[in-house]
Amino acid sequence: MFEIATHLALILIAVAFLAGFIDSIAGGGGLLSVPALLLAGLPPVNALATNKLQGMAGAGTAFANYVHAGQVSPRAQLPMAAVSLVAGALGSLMASHLPAEVLRLIMPPILIAIALFFALKPGLTDQPRARRLSAPLFTATVVPVIAGYDGFFGPGTGSFFMMAFVLLAGSGVLKATAETKMLNFASNIGSFAVFAVQGHMFWAVGLGMAAAQIGGATLGSRLALRIGARLIKPLLVATSIGMALRLLWQAWG
């Protein structure tokens, strides 16, 4: 039924549910799912490809829930989503040509800085803030950098988009979470398309994990909508610190 042993596939499906829950609120689900795929015996490129399939399902589910709740307008974000899709695809194309080790070294301090910002910055609520960048400038500069990084490497993408929307686009914490999901969904689509064409996907494993991601993302996004910044901020802080520690361990362990 699966490309790997059934018991390993079932473990991956359970991990995908938890990853979908965390990712729908604070990002960082990939640091659960990618190591799990590697430990299950998938070669690195197949693990990255299969992760995009299951992650795309979770991001799309969370995005749909936020749209249904009126937290994000797909039409307004369409230009950003188009840029994110193309940048995600280009990032995946570049993945085989640039050293990911460099990113593993510079990412931990950035993630710790994000955690400290959300932990210590006063006044971060669900209320909108002053916009620092116009929508066209945000789309032309911030979106392709973060989405390209998502296609190339991935961990922390949700946290980066969250911080960018809060700091530069003037969004409240809950709205920033919703806006992040549309762009993350788009970058996943672009990256997924590249990996699928290259034939790196483990389809049965990926689809099983995708189903679990949908369940986890549904639960997580509904909790975020109900509780808002009081849930999102601490989970974002914990996730960012966890990702930083995981990357440090991977780099120096």
Side-chain angles (χ1 to χ4, degrees):
M1 181 178 179
F2 297 104
E3 296 92 342
I4 60 176
T6 300
H7 72 282
L8 292 177
L10 293 176
I11 293 172
L12 289 176
I13 288 169
V15 170
F17 180 88
L18 181 59
F21 175 83
I22 294 173
D23 207 58
S24 67
I25 302 172
L31 271 185
L32 292 177
S33 54
V34 171
L37 286 161
L38 291 170
L39 287 172
L42 275 71
V45 68
N46 300 100
L48 290 174
T50 305
N51 183 63
K52 286 302 176 185
L53 169 58
Q54 60 98 37
M56 182 175 63
T61 300
F63 165 59
N65 286 335
Y66 288 124
V67 170
H68 181 71
Q71 290 295 328
V72 62
S73 168
R75 181 176 297 180
Q77 271 205 300
L78 195 57
M80 291 186 192
V83 171
S84 186
L85 188 151
V86 173
L90 292 175
S92 291
L93 287 172
M94 291 170 59
S96 59
H97 302 292
L98 293 177
E101 289 74 16
V102 175
L103 286 171
R104 291 195 184 98
L105 291 175
I106 66 174
M107 289 304 303
I110 295 174
L111 287 166
I112 291 171
I114 290 174
L116 291 174
F117 171 79
F118 279 97
L120 303 177
K121 176 73 173 176
L124 288 180
T125 67
D126 294 329
Q127 299 303 312
R129 301 158 54 85
R131 175 182 283 274
R132 296 171 184 259
L133 287 183
S134 66
L137 186 57
F138 187 89
T139 302
T141 57
V142 176
V143 173
V145 171
I146 299 177
Y149 161 77
D150 186 35
F152 176 69
F153 190 54
T157 299
S159 301
F160 298 146
F161 269 133
M162 275 280 294
M163 191 169 187
F165 275 115
V166 170
L167 273 182
L168 303 176
S171 300
V173 172
L174 178 57
K175 184 172 178 59
T177 302
E179 292 170 326
T180 291
K181 288 307 131 192
M182 182 170 182
L183 300 193
N184 210 170
F185 180 47
S187 64
N188 277 341
I189 292 174
S191 182
F192 162 78
V194 169
F195 283 129
V197 169
Q198 292 176 341
H200 296 307
M201 206 72 61
F202 276 35
W203 287 100
V205 171
L207 289 172
M209 294 179 72
Q213 270 267 356
I214 290 171
T218 298
L219 178 61
S221 56
R222 287 180 178 175
L223 280 175
L225 286 166
R226 183 181 303 171
I227 303 176
R230 290 184 293 114
L231 171 67
I232 296 168
K233 284 176 59 179
L235 189 55
L236 183 63
V237 170
T239 302
S240 296
I241 292 174
M243 285 190 288
L245 293 175
R246 174 69 177 83
L247 289 169
L248 283 171
W249 178 83
Q250 188 176 27
W252 302 109

